[in-house]
Every structure is written in C-alpha cells, then in structure tokens.
Amino acid sequence: MRWRRIRDSAATKSMRLALVLVNSLLLLLVLGLFAKSRPILARQSLFNLLLSSSWHPLKGEFGLFPFIVGTLAVTAMAMILAVPICLLSAIYLSEYARRPVRELVRPIIDLLAGIPSVIYGFWGVIVVVPLVRYLGHAVGSPTTGYSLLAGGIVLAIMVFPIIISVSTDVLQSVPAEAREASMALGATRWETVRHVILSSARRGLMAAVVLGFARAFGETMAVLMVVGNVPKVPTSLFDPAYPLPALIANNYGEMMSIPLYDSALMLAALVLLVVVAGFNLAAHLFLVRLERRS
C-alpha cells in the first residue's frame, strides 16, 4: 500500500510539473521577445512604433502600423469570407446530407487541412491573383492582383477545413432527442436547426471560429506569396498589404547589420503574439459568459 501511494504521489507531481511547464511557455515566449525588443524600445517609444507608418530601416524608421493594419485586414477579410460558408457547410453535413455524402466529403476536408501552405500559395498565384486582377480592372480599380483581396481569399480557403470539421462535430454532438422533440412540436427542419441546434451548439461553434482565426492570423507563407508585401496601409480591397508574419519571414536573417533591425522584427513578433493571445482571451471570456447565460 505504501508503494502504491508513493507511485500515485509521483504521478501526480509529474503531471503537475508537466502542466506548469506547458503553461509557462507563453510567459517564456513573451519574456524572450521582450528582451530582444528592448534595444528599439529604449530608442523609440512604443506608441510611436505602433502608430507610425514610416518603414525605412536604413533611416532608422520602424513604423509597424502598416503591418498591423495589413494583418488585421487580411484576417478580417478571410473570416468574413470563411465563416458563413463554413457554418452553412457544417449545417448541411450534419443535418441534411445523407451518410454516403458525409463519408465522401469528410476525408476531402481532412485532406485539405493537411495540404502545405506553400501549395495554397502557388495555387493563389496561379488562379486567385489573375482572377483578382481581372475583377479589379472590371470594377475600375486597376491592380496587379497581388492584393488584400487575394490574400483574404487564399486565407479563407485555408481555414475552411478547420472550421467545417470542428463545427460539424459540434453540431452532431447535439442530442438527437432535442431534434426529435422540436420536430414533434411541429417545427420544420430549418426551424429546428435555427432555434434548437444552433442555440445548443453556439459555444462550440464560437470555439471553431476562434480556432480558424488563430490559424488565419499567424499564417505566413501562402499570404506572403499573394498579398503584395508593400509596407503601406491598404485603402481598398485591391491594394497590396504587408502582414506581420510576412514581414518577419521576409526579413529575418537578412540585413541584420542595420542597427535595431533585429530588435524591430522581434517587436513585430511580440505584437503578433500579444494580439493573438488577447483575442483568444477575449473569446474565452465571451464563451464563459455565454455558458453562464445558458
């Protein structure tokens, strides 16, 4: 009995240590990036760095505002395009599609999730960029095709598999008795979906959207290949943009002889991490509040 208690205590302590290590990773990341960002923060104020639009490393100007706006704009565009399509697709697969259709579609969705991002990038260059170029000329906004809209389309397609897969599982987890009770009271299938299933699954659906947002916000390679990478604030869907992940991927390791360049990129990474963490925390608090109301 004593030996069993010792093993149980050791197992408990090991699991507690593993949990502490996992949860300390975020703190270690923040501290490491902050330490590397201190040189530029000692020379320029954080307020100026975040709100300045001037990016001229050779002149010592490292304004991150165009990159922050580019990141938010591309991600917002992707989510606007992806969320309605994904939710409607998940509702169809869960509530309307026959079993053979679900068995055919689900592996394809899983396959899309496993495609490397560089493949999506090449596809975007070959298909999406010419399409956006043609659309821009058609509406009177000449563009090269490498634009905010192109990045949003490619990014939306990349988050399709995550949101659809998670949302479908969430909808299918709603008890069948809830559907049967609603339809027994005379509700149509759509009324049952709208008032019963979506209401019961809204917390899980919100979690699926948050997962898709996290994937979209930090995506690098595919967006880098189609968004244009011009350090200016985009003013229309057909203007090029320059997200923070693309800035870091394009420049880290190059031109490091420029004073403060490395520190500026580390600050960009820190801003990216803080924004993603802040959004996830806000979404978590919203879900907790939603659960309490339910």
Side-chain angles (χ1 to χ4, degrees), residues 21-232:
L21 290 175
V22 170
N23 284 274
S24 64
L25 287 177
L26 177 60
L27 178 61
L28 293 175
L29 285 171
V30 172
L31 291 177
L33 292 174
F34 178 75
K36 296 289 289 184
S37 304
R38 288 185 64 184
I40 194 169
L41 292 174
R43 296 280 298 274
Q44 302 182 38
S45 68
L46 179 62
F47 182 82
N48 182 58
L49 290 169
L50 295 181
L51 297 183
S52 173
S53 298
S54 179
W55 178 262
H56 300 288
L58 293 176
K59 299 179 180 179
E61 298 175 356
F62 298 97
L64 297 177
F65 187 70
F67 308 102
I68 296 173
V69 173
T71 304
L72 295 174
V74 171
T75 305
M77 175 60 59
M79 299 308 292
I80 290 172
L81 295 175
V83 170
I85 297 175
C86 291
L87 293 183
L88 290 175
S89 300
I91 291 172
Y92 175 78
L93 289 175
S94 173
E95 306 300 324
Y96 292 90
R98 296 181 179 180
R99 185 173 181 180
V101 176
R102 289 198 298 267
E103 293 179 349
L104 175 65
V105 173
R106 291 299 292 271
I108 297 176
I109 295 175
D110 295 337
L111 178 62
L112 289 174
I115 296 177
S117 60
V118 68
I119 303 300
Y120 283 106
F122 277 123
W123 179 80
V125 172
I126 296 171
V127 177
V128 178
V129 169
L131 178 63
V132 172
R133 184 189 305 125
Y134 173 79
L135 180 62
H137 286 280
V139 299
S141 298
T143 176
T144 61
Y146 294 92
S147 61
L148 175 64
L149 180 59
I153 293 174
V154 173
L155 205 53
I157 295 172
M158 292 185 67
V159 302
F160 279 174
I162 298 175
I163 300 180
I164 292 176
S165 181
V166 176
S167 298
T168 302
D169 292 338
V170 168
L171 292 173
Q172 289 179 340
S173 68
V174 176
E177 291 79 3
R179 298 174 174 83
E180 295 170 358
S182 176
M183 300 186 74
L185 293 173
T188 63
R189 179 175 293 185
W190 171 245
E191 289 173 339
T192 300
V193 170
R194 180 180 176 184
H195 297 289
V196 178
I197 297 175
L198 291 181
S199 179
S200 301
R202 56 184 177 179
R203 187 174 188 273
L205 295 176
M206 183 64 183
V209 173
V210 171
L211 287 175
F213 174 88
R215 168 68 189 277
F217 204 89
E219 179 55 43
T220 303
M221 186 55 65
V223 177
L224 181 153
M225 298 173 68
V226 300
V227 79
N229 301 323
V230 177
K232 293 182 179 181

